[in-house]
Amino acid sequence: MRTTRLTFIAAILVVSAIGGASAQNARDDRYPGATGTIPLVAAGTQGGAPEWTGEPGASGHPLMTAAAIRHAAANFNTCIEHLWPLAARRGISRNVFQTATASLTPDLRIMDLLDNQPEFTKSFWDYLDILVNDARIQKGREVLEKYRAIFDAVEKAYGVDRYIVTAIWGVETNYGAIGGKRPVVRSTATLACVGRRQNYFREEFLSTLEILQRGDVHPDRLVGSWAGAFGPTQFMPTAFKRFAVDFDRDGRRDVVDSVPDLIASTANNLKKDGWVAGQTWGYEVVIPATLNFMLADNHRSMPIRDWERHGLTRPGGKPFPRPDDRAFLLVPAGVQGPGFLMLTNFRAIMKYNPAEAYALAIGHLADRLRGGEPFAQEWPRYERVLSRNERLELQQLLVRHGYDVGEPDGRLGAKTRSAIRGFQAKIGQVPDGFASAVVLDRLRSR
Ligand code: CA
């Protein structure tokens, strides 16, 4: 289990009156293991600052009861002051600590967001439609053109493809247009002292103070998502600490306002997460109906030429440029949808953003920016997307039938897919791992 980059994702989706849907990726939710799904923050939370609902968190965690939240909030200042020795040990001056925390109050609205488990009914293809569209492609190409010289230098220095960096920029914040306005100090301080993830966020809070101590980012510009991700590519403070670089050599690692620092830091992050220079992230593939879908498992990677022996091809019969590369097969929407052979670089993107739909959107947007085609195969758009409660029920039923889905949480990732495959195989269905209404019905009836 990764212990590095906390990656929660919450997208605020706002359907605009003109031009269809646009994603407001508030880039919130970064936490380890959140594979495969995108918790959504209900629309309409921007404009005005909604207060904490006063409701207990949906997680049922003892630190998320309304009483526990109120109690922690009442002790907020004491809690922060208790963190001072830890800050001092990191070289934070009393002055910086004081300035950052003197008039700080907890932002309890974050407690609603931390435990937000809304009904979300967006499918994999909905996210791709929202995140990879003509407007985002056009804007990305403008970004690439405008900062061409910087991208040249960064590619040379880090060996990370400019299109993937641009795609992260585009998917995370629509190129900086939407990044969240919450002060990172306040958000991380709140989460370090209130709620169920205090240990995790203590580190984020202290890392935020380190940023202020070093003066890397201007305090007024250190704003972002409720979980503390900031800047156009949404660095968490700890990720900033590990990956940010001062590419323009002005003495500050400013991933918010310096485009060279932003681009280089994002590239450095991917490189440190295992990006292999000169390779792509993966390929859309056509899957033969005869495939043994038990092979579609992110733990089973094999050379592409072996996948070819299993009958996988690229749409239009294009050859695979590097048949010896190892890949795993992702089939996010089952036998009726496209497959994807995922290379090492897809795993690097997943470390940046562990929701499969988002990681695939990043890879695909990168390809489109480079001039690539839309996916050739249709998604099964007629499939009804299970509600959150249904997904939770599906997982609970799988557990009851002896399958390992991890902790049932309504998020359908690789583990749940693997469990579904097992169940489908047992009942004589094509084990494609897709959480369809049919699978749920069959689980219920057993
Ligand atoms: Ca700099």
Side-chain angles (χ1 to χ4, degrees), residues 246-254 258 261:
D246 176 20
F247 201 67
D248 62 12
R249 299 174 180 231
D250 69 346
R252 300 186 310 121
R253 300 181 294 165
D254 188 349
S258 159
D261 289 6

Side-chain angles (χ1 to χ4, degrees), residues 125 136 142 277 313 355 399 436:
W125 44 96
R136 222 169 276 233
E142 289 164 18
T313 55
V399 170
S436 65

